[in-house]
Amino acid sequence: MPDLRYSLDQYFCSIASVLGTEESRISKARSELPKIATKYDSLLDQFRESIQRPSPSLQNLVYKFARDLLANAIANDEGNPIIDDRPLYWARLMARAILGSNRDLKPAQQSTLIHTLEDQSRQTFPGSDENASKTDRNAVVLTSFDPFHLDRRIAQSNSSSAITLSLAKGRISGHPLKIMVFPVRFNDFDEGMVEAMFEPVFKAKPRLVLTISMGRKDIDLERFPSKNRSAPNPDNDGAFGTVDGERSPCLKEGPEFVEFSLPAQDMTEAAQELQVNDNRTVETVEQGRFDATSLAQLDGQTAIEGSGGGFLSNEISYRTLLLQKELGLSFPLGHVHVPRVTEHDPEVAGRMVRQTRLLIEAALKATAAKPT
């Protein structure tokens, strides 16, 4: 392991040859985005020193670092209520690199510790004592994604996480909030990350679940997610969901399309700071691109794209709706695309935060009489 006397900049340069695709962008981010990518350097320096030698307490050290990192990101010591999602992303990635490059750790240990880091820095737990009470009953659950397209623009933000992190500390209509931030990596989805994180949340019977991602120019409620990966874009590891440029299913089993259970009319009619659409546009082999009127109309069709497209945003919606059905549960659940951004703009993100709150309040009011 490189000498701890190295600065973090020197350290990441020294381990560049062993970094994965996503981690290989760290040095560029630290150079071009110093206020963002180095924001949590003091935590990272302490973390790097604390795990330099294997010990029985390593798991606890990683756990504490991950929880502290997320808590710092949500607290946002700069005082702005609208949170920039990028410092958390880059700090987590640097911690992954520190663990992955530690030669004193066996591969199995590295894998276990990285899993702890990811799990504990990506989700909050409602309740005053999160270690003793990790129940998500009656919670409003919001999920989002890491920044992506970073080879095009290293300063890229993801508006979905700016929203969830900004809302994380409060309550909406009396309901506690749980947030989860997902990686933009096909491999994590293939390994069942979505199902592993959502199953205990679903079994606790949340009040409302919105999976959120960055999409087009408006806010779109994605009515008909599909089974297939068809987007030509690589994930943050450089992997593609398509096979030889052709669509591929995200799961072996499951219908071509599913439908969300959001009260779309009430949500689109809510007070609007931004345009909100009930998006029914899909693409199939048989009919091309069209607006579906019902799930029955899609029976017998072969999906190319769902309403939410053909990337991981569509997939998280498909997987969660399928899981909910398999578990025999009923609560409002669906995907929301929020407007795309490049860098973080607190004013622009603030409008999205306020509109998301309005959507949640409208959904809660519309489904108040329904069992959770």
Side-chain angles (χ1 to χ4, degrees):
M1 189 172 185
D3 196 314
L4 285 171
R5 291 172 296 181
Y6 287 3
S7 71
L8 281 173
D9 288 326
Q10 292 171 315
Y11 175 81
F12 289 117
C13 285
S14 73
I15 64 172
S17 62
V18 299
L19 296 180
T21 299
E22 190 168 18
E23 291 85 354
S24 69
R25 303 183 184 101
I26 289 172
S27 289
K28 182 177 181 181
R30 291 182 65 84
S31 173
E32 298 186 17
L33 308 170
K35 290 184 178 180
I36 295 165
T38 67
K39 182 174 182 179
Y40 297 119
D41 272 10
S42 59
L43 276 176
L44 285 163
D45 259 328
Q46 294 169 21
F47 178 66
R48 180 171 55 138
E49 184 173 2
S50 70
I51 61 113
Q52 63 180 313
R53 292 183 181 85
S55 76
S57 63
L58 269 184
Q59 185 78 11
N60 291 336
L61 289 171
V62 174
Y63 178 95
K64 183 178 186 306
F65 168 81
R67 299 309 297 167
D68 287 347
L69 178 61
L70 182 59
N72 272 271
I74 292 171
N76 194 19
D77 55 17
E78 295 175 356
N80 195 315
I82 305 303
I83 295 173
D84 188 340
D85 61 302
R86 296 172 297 175
L88 172 62
Y89 169 74
W90 288 109
R92 183 194 299 113
L93 203 60
M94 285 183 265
R96 279 178 60 100
I98 289 169
L99 288 170
S101 64
N102 188 329
R103 296 174 184 173
D104 293 327
L105 298 174
K106 296 178 181 179
Q109 288 177 297
Q110 288 179 336
S111 179
T112 298
L113 294 174
I114 288 173
H115 180 271
T116 298
L117 168 70
E118 290 275 327
D119 185 57
Q120 296 301 321
S121 66
R122 289 187 177 277
Q123 61 180 321
T124 63
F125 301 105
S128 57
D129 185 352
E130 60 189 32
N131 291 318
S133 177
K134 295 187 177 182
T135 177
D136 304 304
R137 183 170 179 79
N138 213 33
V140 171
V141 181
L142 306 176
T143 78
S144 56
F145 280 98
D146 287 342
F148 61 104
H149 290 330
L150 295 162
D151 290 328
R152 299 181 191 174
R153 187 181 297 105
I154 197 71
Q156 181 69 56
S157 173
N158 193 316
S159 47
S160 67
S161 282
I163 291 168
T164 58
L165 293 170
S166 298
L167 290 172
K169 288 202 302 181
R171 297 170 74 91
I172 297 182
S173 298
H175 295 274
L177 288 173
K178 177 183 178 66
I179 69 162
M180 295 189 283
V181 181
F182 279 82
V184 182
R185 297 189 295 253
F186 285 110
N187 186 58
D188 292 80
F189 278 55
D190 288 338
E191 291 182 349
M193 181 181 192
V194 172
E195 291 77 10
M197 289 185 73
F198 272 104
E199 184 167 348
V201 175
F202 283 6
K203 287 181 175 179
K205 298 183 179 179
R207 181 64 181 82
L208 168 71
V209 179
L210 294 182
T211 57
I212 308 173
S213 64
M214 184 174 71
R216 310 174 188 95
K217 67 175 184 176
D218 298 325
I219 291 183
D220 295 318
L221 312 180
E222 309 295 6
R223 183 173 285 272
F224 298 116
S226 78
K227 181 180 182 179
N228 283 315
R229 297 170 174 173
S230 56
N233 303 316
D235 68 6
N236 280 344
D237 269 338
F240 291 84
T242 55
V243 177
D244 296 327
E246 298 295 326
R247 70 185 188 279
S248 64
C250 64
L251 294 170
K252 291 182 180 180
E253 304 295 332
E256 292 291 303
F257 292 94
V258 291
E259 183 175 6
F260 69 26
S261 55
L262 298 177
Q265 182 173 342
D266 297 88
M267 293 172 78
T268 57
E269 291 177 354
Q272 293 187 6
E273 189 165 350
L274 298 167
Q275 176 68 37
V276 182
N277 308 308
D278 177 1
N279 183 31
R280 299 164 174 263
T281 304
V282 299
E283 184 176 357
T284 68
V285 171
E286 293 80 8
Q287 289 187 231
R289 185 171 292 271
F290 66 101
D291 287 350
T293 58
S294 67
L295 192 59
Q297 186 186 10
L298 295 170
D299 188 38
Q301 298 283 306
T302 306
I304 296 177
E305 282 194 6
S307 302
F311 198 50
L312 290 170
S313 52
N314 169 81
E315 186 168 331
I316 196 170
S317 183
Y318 180 87
R319 284 176 178 267
T320 52
L321 285 162
L322 199 62
L323 177 65
Q324 183 190 42
K325 183 177 180 180
E326 289 172 353
L327 294 174
L329 299 171
S330 177
F331 46 80
L333 166 64
H335 191 76
V336 178
H337 263 123
V338 295
R340 60 181 175 270
V341 298
T342 52
E343 299 186 27
H344 177 75
D345 183 329
E347 184 177 344
V348 172
R351 289 197 291 271
M352 295 189 212
V353 170
R354 290 190 293 272
Q355 187 64 65
T356 301
R357 179 180 286 275
L358 290 172
L359 291 177
I360 293 168
E361 290 171 347
L364 291 172
K365 183 177 179 181
T367 58
K370 295 183 179 181
T372 60

